[in-house]
Each structure stands twice: as structure tokens, then as C-alpha cells.
Amino acid sequence: MSTILDRIASPADVKNLRAELLPVLAQEIRDKIISVTSKNGGHVSPNLGVVELSIALHRVFETPKDKIIFDVSHQCYTHKLLTGRGGERFEGLRQTGGISGFCNRTESSHDAFGAGHAGTAASAALGLAVGRDRRGSNENVVAVLGDAALTNGVTFEAINNIATSTKKMIVVLNDNEMSIAKNVGAIAKYLNEVITNPAYNKIYEDINSFLKKLPSGEAMAKLAEKKATTAKAFFLEASSLFEYFGFLYLGPIDGHNIALLERYLNYCKTATRPVLLHIITKKGKGLDVAMKNPEKFHGASPYDIVTGESTAPKSDKPVLNWQDVMGKSLLKFAKKDGKILGITAAMASGTGLSYLKKELPGQFFDVGIAEEHAAIFAAGLACQGFKPVVAIYSTFMQRAFDCAMHDVCLQDLPVTFCLDRAGLSPNDGATHHGLFDIAYLRCLPRAIIMQPSDENELADMLYTSINSGKCCFIRYPRGRAAGVEIKEEPEAIEIGKSKILFEGNGKVCLFALGNMVETAKKVADILAEKSKIKASIVDARFAKPLDEEAILRMAKSNKLFVTLEDHVVAGGFGSAVGELFMENKVRTPLEMIGWPDKYIPHGSDVKALREMFGLGESQIADRILKVYSEI
């Protein structure tokens, strides 16, 4: 049976729908999002919360002429369904060859700006608006921000410049009291006070009634603008934070009322200065399990619609995820040492710090989506003799690079950075792959970079780092760890010392970093099957400092030296080994195996993406055999 959604091929079809059919469309969209994400995984709660807003935006504005920029853009599923990416295309969401889970300029002209990290929408929208002004065109520019974006310094840098740079721009503040976890800090408290203030709500009702009666026209728009500003300034000065930045502030209004949203958005189009429309939405609306646990369903793996439980294949042997190994180890150490403090940037659950938060809340800090602040905050704590551990996804650590360089390493402060999702985040794609951290951290003097091959090494590395008095970065991938039982007591690891796992017959040495140790073992098996090569296998453990003695010795005793890393080759672990070879005039051929100098797309799983780029075990073995045959 055909649905309304089936008949939506473009935003024009949305505009032509009768108003009474819009709630039906909204429900069909929710059903579609739930159906597809339950099979593919994805950002469930954020998208269910903005269905009505997305419909209203496409009813009022005309993309791609008008520009709608979603912050992070993990809430773009309805937008995609309304802009020609429904049907079978949407069924392939986040899968190999399918559409992205984020806005992507190469995917559709309706995606005005690509994104995947928080805090970019306001700056990008201002750039688009100023570009429009200088060109003399008249398109509308709308930035859709989550309230969590206001904890991000980049957003405030943009807000500080908007009113002085353009007279025509709309910011929609989608307030659901959540980022990934529940929002924290003064901004969240401020927004809550605005929402709950009875005086303000009375003013809002009066303004809303006034807008309902307002005829169209620029003169009437200016009158409404003056009335709204004067009323708020007179009755509730505390609500004028955004007015001080030069915005006309409207709201808060119900973000699930399409007619109301349309009325306000139509008014925003006529405003004579930048407008901030504050809407209230419910994250996860329409799916009970998501509303009860919005943090879990912020980004979910395939799930059961009724119970909310993961439907991903389960192993016969329970295996912890890497972040849980880190989180449980940190909690264990923190119970014995009150100077150990955990810091996260709105990612307590995703980084494993939820264990510390639950049992030792006094030793836990969530700073919101503010990675730069997290790093410098940790540096300040280290100055006071504490042992801060900052848990950040590798892709988000990029934001804090300057702080790690200038505020931590330069001052030789003992801060531990745990870089989760180092390697592929397959379904999320290029914006979330952690393939660059070694390259941008390896150049930092005093930085120590390590990667474990199993659970025990991660616990040992965390213990080593915390007690080293040095700035250390520990990187590890997304997903299940190796399945090794963690020993009772951790052991300190000698900084820069690798671990030889197997000495071969002097033909090939596989020097592997982190999770690539397991790949090296499988590659060695294939080499043994296909040839008489018994490859040496070394667990590198450190990308900086290198185990120079072991590398030079193994290079001297083997005909081919191979590095393996879950990272781009350019500037990575293999590049470091290459530099060592050059410095010591090593003539042994070096084959560096890692990701190419490209942005890797999203895909259904890690295996599929590795094979797409020649990094499957058999492909690596064949490559090694080819190089070896040419020596």
C-alpha cells in the first residue's frame, strides 16, 4: 500500500501537501527511521527528535537555493528522506555503497555543508550568509544547532561574529537537554531557567497570539520584531543572552508542532536582523526505548524495536569492548589513588568513563562538547599534582591538538589521553575514522604514543602512563577487544620497548602496532602456507618512542621489514620506522602497510572496507610475497 512518504520525491512535494496530512507524514518518517536503523544501526534519538522541524524547514524554505546547515548533521535522516533519498537509497543508510549517515556535499545538492563534528554549523552558515551578501543574492541561510553545540567554543566564536557580519541569518536552537549524554554546565542551566520561567512563558503566549494575527509584509515584520524584543527586555532581562550577541531571540516554542514551527520560521524569513529561534524537542520521540534511554540510542547498533536490545551477533565467549576495558581499569586504579581524575567531552558512555562516573563521581568530570577545554583543564589539574586521564575519540582529539602541543607537551605535564575509536568507525565514515592521530601527535616533542594488542596491554599501558609523569597517548580501536582475560595486577611497561612474539627464519619481519598484531599473525600463517617464509612477528606497542634497538636488529636479520598499522601510512608508524632506517642507513627493504592518503568512506563493516583498500589478510600476504620476490 502506497504511503504519503512514498510520494515524496523532493521538497516541492512536501510543500504541496495539505496541512492535515503532515502529522501522518511525520509518523511515516518515524516508522521508516526506526525500521532502517533497527537493521543498520545509526543515530536514532537525534533523528526522531527533529522530524517535525525538518518537515517545517522544507515547507518554509526552498533547498537547494536556500541553505540549511545541520550541526554535526547526525540528525539529517528526515532531511534526506524529503530530498530524494528515500526508498531503496534510504534502506542502504550507512552501508557499503549506500548513503551516508551525515550530510555530504557530494551526495546531494540539498546538503549545503558536510559535517560530522559538533560546533561547525554557525560558522559555516555565517560564511554562506556573508558570501551571499557579497554576491548580492537573496537566499535564506539557516543553521540548526543542538543545545549541546553551545558548550562548544567554535559555536560561540561564530555567534560573536554573526550580527556584526550579516543582517540576514537564522539560527534554530534545538533544545532537548541532551548532547549524547545529558547536557552539563552553565549554558544548560540557563536554557532550563528560560524554559521554566512562568513570566517568560506568559510573554511567549502573548507574542504567539500576536504573530497569529499578523498579516504579511515587511512593516508588520518590523513591528513584530520590536514588540518581541521590547516585551522580553522589559519582563525578563535574564532571557536576553542572545540579544546581547545581536540576535532577535524568539521562543522557546514546541518543536513538534509543525504549524507553529511554520508560522515562526516564516516570520524569521522577514526579520531585519539575525534571528535565533529556540525550540523544545524530545530526543527519541516516537520510540519508547529511545526516549527512556536517549544516550544509548544516540548512536545505536542494530536493535530490537520493542526491547531496545542489540541484535548484533553475540559471541559464545563474552568479550569486553576496548572502551570498557579502559573504563574498568581506570576505575580500579582510581579507587586506590584519589589523584586520578577522569575527564570526558560529553562521551562518558562511549569512552568507558561511565564506570568512574557511577562509582566515583567526585573523580569524574564531563565538560560537554569542548575537547580543547578538556585538554587544557587536564593540564591545569596536572600542575596541581593530579593525574588526569582524558578520554576522547581519536577523531575528536583533532580539535585538541593545539592544546596537547602548547599546553601539555610543551610544559611537560603528566596527562594521559585515551584515544578511543583509533582506526575505523565503519558506518560513520570519513568524519569519524581515527586514522590520523599518530601523524599529528608524533611530531610533538615529549609525547609518548602507544597502542595495545590486547586487554592486558591496555591495562598495563594505562597504569604505566598514569604513573610515568609523562604526557602519554594510548590509542585503541572501536568494538570488541581481543578476548584475553585481564590479569589481577597491572605491570609497568618499559617506555619504548616492543615485544617479540615469534622469531622466524630471517626472511620477513612483521612489525605490527596494536590491533594489527592479530592481522600479522594471520598474514604469517598465509605466508607459511603459500611459501617457505616463517615470518617474525613483533608487537611494536609504541609508535613513539620507537624500539630502535629491536627494529635495527630485526632489519639486519631479515630480508624484508614490514610495518602494519591501522592508520594512514603518511606520517604514521611506518613513516617513523622509515625515518629511523634513513638515519641509520639501513638498506633492508621496508614495506609500509596501512591506509592510503585518502579519506576512507563509510561501509557496512571493517572487513569490507579493509578489503576495498587492499588491507585484507590475504591481500597483505600477496603484497608481501610480490615485494619479497622482487628483492
Side-chain angles (χ1 to χ4, degrees):
M1 182 178 176
S2 177
T3 65
I4 296 172
L5 181 58
D6 291 335
R7 302 197 298 271
I8 301 296
S10 72
D13 297 321
V14 183
K15 292 179 186 294
N16 292 332
L17 281 179
R18 301 193 309 274
E20 61 267 24
L21 295 179
L22 297 178
V24 180
L25 174 63
Q27 185 57 53
E28 290 178 359
I29 289 172
R30 282 197 169 87
D31 291 343
K32 174 62 75 173
I33 290 172
I34 292 168
S35 172
V36 171
T37 58
S38 69
K39 292 179 291 187
N40 299 357
H43 289 91
V44 184
S45 294
N47 283 287
L48 294 178
V50 297
V51 173
E52 289 83 5
L53 171 62
S54 302
I55 292 171
L57 286 168
H58 281 291
R59 294 267 290 180
V60 172
F61 299 101
E62 186 179 339
T63 61
K65 177 189 175 184
D66 291 331
K67 312 299 180 184
I68 302 173
I69 301 94
F70 294 93
D71 200 75
V72 187
S73 79
H74 61 315
Q75 75 284 51
C76 67
Y77 295 179
T78 301
H79 164 73
K80 294 200 173 197
L81 285 167
L82 301 180
T83 53
R85 285 166 281 181
E88 290 185 5
R89 292 193 71 190
F90 195 73
E91 293 291 333
L93 178 74
R94 305 173 79 245
Q95 303 299 293
T96 302
I99 62 173
S100 169
F102 300 90
C103 286
N104 187 325
R105 281 167 48 83
T106 64
E107 187 179 286
S108 171
S109 61
H110 294 279
D111 292 357
F113 195 80
H117 292 183
T120 62
S123 295
L126 179 57
L128 289 166
V130 170
R132 171 205 62 203
D133 297 343
R134 295 181 70 85
R135 279 205 329 268
S137 52
N138 64 353
E139 65 269 19
N140 294 286
V141 178
V142 184
V144 180
L145 312 181
D147 48 322
L150 295 179
T151 66
N152 189 292
V154 182
T155 299
F156 270 103
E157 292 171 23
I159 286 175
N160 186 53
N161 280 273
I162 287 172
T164 58
S165 302
T166 187
K167 292 183 178 180
K168 185 181 179 184
M169 181 175 150
I170 301 164
V171 174
V172 177
L173 176 60
N174 175 31
D175 185 353
N176 58 27
E177 300 182 332
M178 298 286 292
S179 49
I180 295 171
K182 191 169 180 64
N183 284 334
V184 296
I187 294 298
K189 181 181 178 183
Y190 165 79
L191 292 176
N192 185 61
E193 288 176 353
V194 170
I195 294 166
T196 57
N197 189 298
Y200 183 81
N201 284 312
K202 176 64 169 65
I203 298 167
Y204 154 66
E205 290 172 4
D206 291 345
I207 295 172
N208 187 41
S209 297
F210 178 74
L211 283 173
K212 285 182 181 179
K213 303 172 185 176
L214 187 67
S216 60
E218 185 175 342
M220 288 296 101
K222 289 181 178 179
L223 176 61
E225 181 178 322
K226 181 177 180 181
K227 179 178 177 65
T229 304
T230 303
K232 283 183 293 183
F234 182 78
F235 286 106
L236 193 63
E237 186 174 352
S239 74
S240 59
L241 168 67
F242 300 106
E243 301 281 354
Y244 288 128
F245 282 103
F247 284 89
L248 169 63
Y249 173 86
L250 297 174
I253 67 170
D254 180 2
H256 297 299
N257 184 324
I258 298 175
L260 187 64
L261 286 166
E262 284 191 50
R263 186 157 60 247
Y264 270 79
L265 289 171
N266 272 309
Y267 165 67
C268 290
K269 287 169 65 173
T270 66
T272 57
R273 60 177 165 128
V275 182
L276 187 140
L277 175 60
H278 184 177
I279 72 171
I280 309 300
T281 61
K282 181 67 176 177
K283 196 171 183 180
K285 181 177 172 62
L287 181 61
D288 287 344
V289 290
M291 287 192 289
K292 290 175 182 175
N293 197 344
E295 184 173 356
K296 176 182 176 181
F297 281 88
H298 175 84
S301 59
Y303 59 93
D304 183 278
I305 294 171
V306 177
T307 67
E309 295 300 316
S310 173
T311 57
K314 291 183 173 60
S315 171
D316 294 336
K317 179 184 176 184
V319 177
L320 290 174
N321 287 330
W322 285 102
Q323 73 264 24
D324 295 315
V325 176
M326 191 287 291
K328 289 190 172 187
S329 298
L330 181 63
L331 174 62
K332 183 178 180 179
F333 303 155
K335 284 181 176 178
K336 297 178 181 179
D337 187 347
K339 289 188 176 181
I340 295 175
L341 305 175
I343 302 167
T344 182
M347 301 291 286
S349 179
T351 60
L353 286 189
S354 52
Y355 298 102
L356 188 68
K357 177 183 178 181
K358 181 179 178 181
E359 294 200 34
L360 295 175
Q363 290 172 246
F364 167 82
F365 296 89
D366 184 348
V367 300
I369 303 177
E371 291 85 3
E372 303 96 326
H373 165 57
I376 304 173
F377 172 53
L381 287 169
C383 287
Q384 292 283 33
F386 288 92
K387 302 174 182 179
V389 176
V390 186
I392 299 178
Y393 287 7
S394 169
T395 185
F396 302 140
M397 183 66 206
Q398 293 159 191
R399 289 276 178 93
F401 168 73
D402 173 65
C403 313
M405 184 277 288
H406 181 269
D407 303 289
V408 180
C409 290
L410 178 61
Q411 301 189 90
D412 201 14
L413 291 171
V415 177
T416 296
F417 291 92
C418 291
L419 307 188
D420 199 346
R421 272 64 167 176
L424 291 189
S425 186
N427 301 108
D428 291 327
T431 57
H432 281 60
H433 294 324
L435 298 177
F436 308 98
D437 48 59
I438 296 174
Y440 67 73
L441 295 171
R442 192 168 66 82
C443 62
L444 300 183
R446 300 175 179 152
I448 296 170
I449 308 169
M450 45 187 135
Q451 182 170 355
S453 62
D454 62 32
E455 292 89 332
N456 275 318
E457 280 196 343
L458 176 52
D460 289 347
M461 287 178 177
L462 184 60
Y463 177 79
T464 300
S465 176
I466 289 171
N467 295 288
S468 69
K470 305 291 184 181
C471 175
C472 298
F473 299 87
I474 307 172
R475 70 188 304 266
Y476 43 91
R478 178 180 184 174
R480 300 195 327 156
V484 173
E485 185 176 349
I486 304 175
K487 58 183 182 285
E488 187 62 30
E489 293 298 328
E491 299 175 32
I493 298 175
E494 183 181 344
I495 300 294
K497 189 69 174 176
S498 63
K499 183 179 181 181
I500 296 176
L501 302 179
F502 179 77
E503 288 260 20
N505 57 1
K507 296 180 182 295
V508 174
C509 175
L510 305 176
F511 219 93
L513 183 66
N515 57 322
M516 295 302 284
V517 169
E518 189 60 30
T519 298
K521 292 176 181 177
K522 294 177 180 177
V523 168
D525 289 341
I526 297 170
L527 293 175
E529 290 174 9
K530 291 188 173 183
S531 69
K532 295 182 180 180
I533 294 174
K534 293 182 180 179
S536 296
I537 304 172
V538 183
D539 177 358
R541 301 203 289 194
F542 291 86
K544 184 179 181 179
L546 295 175
D547 187 345
E548 296 185 3
E549 186 276 330
I551 291 171
L552 295 175
R553 181 172 67 82
M554 297 301 282
K556 185 177 181 181
S557 61
N558 284 273
K559 292 183 178 180
L560 175 63
F561 195 99
V562 181
T563 59
L564 297 96
E565 60 190 302
D566 195 10
H567 184 275
V568 292
V569 169
F573 169 65
S575 292
V577 173
E579 291 165 14
L580 180 66
F581 274 31
M582 290 176 62
E583 290 168 7
N584 290 273
K585 297 180 172 56
V586 175
R587 296 188 177 183
T588 304
L590 171 64
E591 186 71 9
M592 295 181 284
I593 305 235
W595 294 93
D597 187 22
K598 297 178 179 179
Y599 286 108
I600 308 303
H602 65 278
S604 303
D605 54 45
V606 171
K607 185 175 184 292
L609 286 171
R610 283 187 176 175
E611 291 178 350
M612 185 185 299
F613 287 90
L615 296 176
E617 289 104 358
S618 294
Q619 293 167 310
I620 292 173
D622 288 343
R623 176 173 163 183
I624 291 171
L625 288 172
K626 183 177 185 298
V627 172
Y628 187 81
S629 69
E630 296 171 352
I631 294 175

